[in-house]
Amino acid sequence: DELGEASKSTIEQFTGLGDWWGLALAQQMRSEWFSVNGDLDAALAMSELATENLERITSSWDLAQQRALTVSLLLRLGRRDEAFALLEELLGEA
């Protein structure tokens, strides 16, 4: 519960500051929190937001790591075709 509240608050704070790096990391943590609590749809949505924010500011290595989280969530949701399509895209970019 504490991590849930902290991650939500942190997202709000970094949004207010306009700190894209901090926001993306906070969104990753929030995604992990949703995942641990079994809300995989919310985890995926938050992971996708983190990816959008990381695309603005980070290296291809960091972005690939973030997108791998999305692949994992898609697989857990049973969305294999989407997961494998994203994985093929990642391999192509590598």
Side-chain angles (χ1 to χ4, degrees):
D1 291 338
E2 193 172 317
L3 178 58
E5 287 301 316
S7 64
K8 181 179 177 184
S9 173
T10 303
I11 288 172
E12 293 167 358
Q13 291 173 5
F14 280 122
T15 299
L17 291 171
D19 181 336
W20 297 113
W21 184 256
L23 178 58
L25 293 179
Q27 289 168 325
Q28 281 180 326
M29 297 310 303
R30 185 88 171 140
S31 176
E32 292 289 345
W33 182 79
F34 281 130
S35 180
V36 166
N37 284 283
D39 191 346
L40 299 179
D41 290 317
L44 179 60
M46 190 61 61
S47 177
E48 290 173 345
L49 287 173
T51 298
E52 288 175 23
N53 287 319
L54 280 174
E55 284 177 330
R56 303 172 191 217
I57 57 168
T58 196
S59 69
S60 58
W61 293 98
D62 288 338
L63 190 56
Q65 180 182 1
Q66 171 58 37
R67 294 179 79 198
L69 175 61
T70 301
V71 170
S72 173
L73 289 166
L74 287 168
L75 287 171
R76 290 181 63 196
L77 284 163
R79 295 165 58 179
R80 291 178 49 87
D81 291 344
E82 290 174 73
F84 282 101
L86 179 53
L87 188 56
E88 286 295 322
E89 183 180 324
L90 289 170
L91 290 171
E93 290 173 2

